[in-house]
Amino acid sequence: MPANHLAGAEPPGPDTALIVVDVQVGFLPGGSLPVPRGDEVVPVINALARRYANVVLTQDWHAPEHLSFASAHPGRAPFETIDLPYGPQVLWPDHCVMGTADAAFAPGLDIPHAQAILRKGYRREVDSYSAFLEADRITRTGLDGYLASRGIRAVHVCGLATDFCVAWTALDARRYGLAAAVIEDACRGIDLGGSVAKAWAEMAAAGVRRISAAQVG
Ligand code: VGL
Ligand code: ZN
């Protein structure tokens, strides 16, 4: 029996894209900024992605000495928050430096039909959790135009981490007028001070649907 016998199953149509967020070595156990149980999403996403004609991968891709790294701020430690010109910024361990092994996709990630890879966070002065808008909330990555020009009207978001890059991407999808859903069992969170619960609340308020992989027909 096909998976779409499930009540509420919604086979993704040609106007829907799966956005696979930051499934990279650096965010897996053993990486520079490990997301607890982040490795568990890899087989889930591999199977999920086969149901979508349109798949976009994102890659956290930081300049060396990026200003989101605690190491760029003497006296500061990872997971503290500081004020940068564009607003509050959580400081992270050095992670996903462009071109390094840590920034590579998870070795088990197997989505040969993905059509676009969107790199973000490459400007030293500005972070970018979202795949649509950098942290200054002004600079666009171009993903909104790419999706619009391909006739995409809805996105399903999965990957790492639920409370940062996944949530910001889903929230900005709504900002650009796209329907958006987050596939909960295809995500894992970092969870700093309740940030996972806060992210789900913000997403619900913005009209982001919370679904499971089994609901995708
Ligand atoms: C991420 C923190 C820093 C993410 C990226 O992919 O969620 N989180 N850079
Ligand atoms: Zn990052």
Side-chain angles (χ1 to χ4, degrees), residues 13-36:
D15 66 347
T16 299
L18 180 69
I19 304 181
V20 179
V21 174
D22 297 2
V23 182
Q24 293 168 254
V25 170
F27 298 118
L28 303 184
S32 57
L33 175 41
V35 178

Side-chain angles (χ1 to χ4, degrees), residues 22 27 33 60 62 92 95 120 129 160-161 164-165 190:
D22 297 2
F27 298 118
L33 175 41
D60 211 38
H62 292 308
W92 303 105
H95 66 279
K120 59 185 180 61
Y129 297 147
L160 306 171
F164 291 94
C165 294
I190 295 173

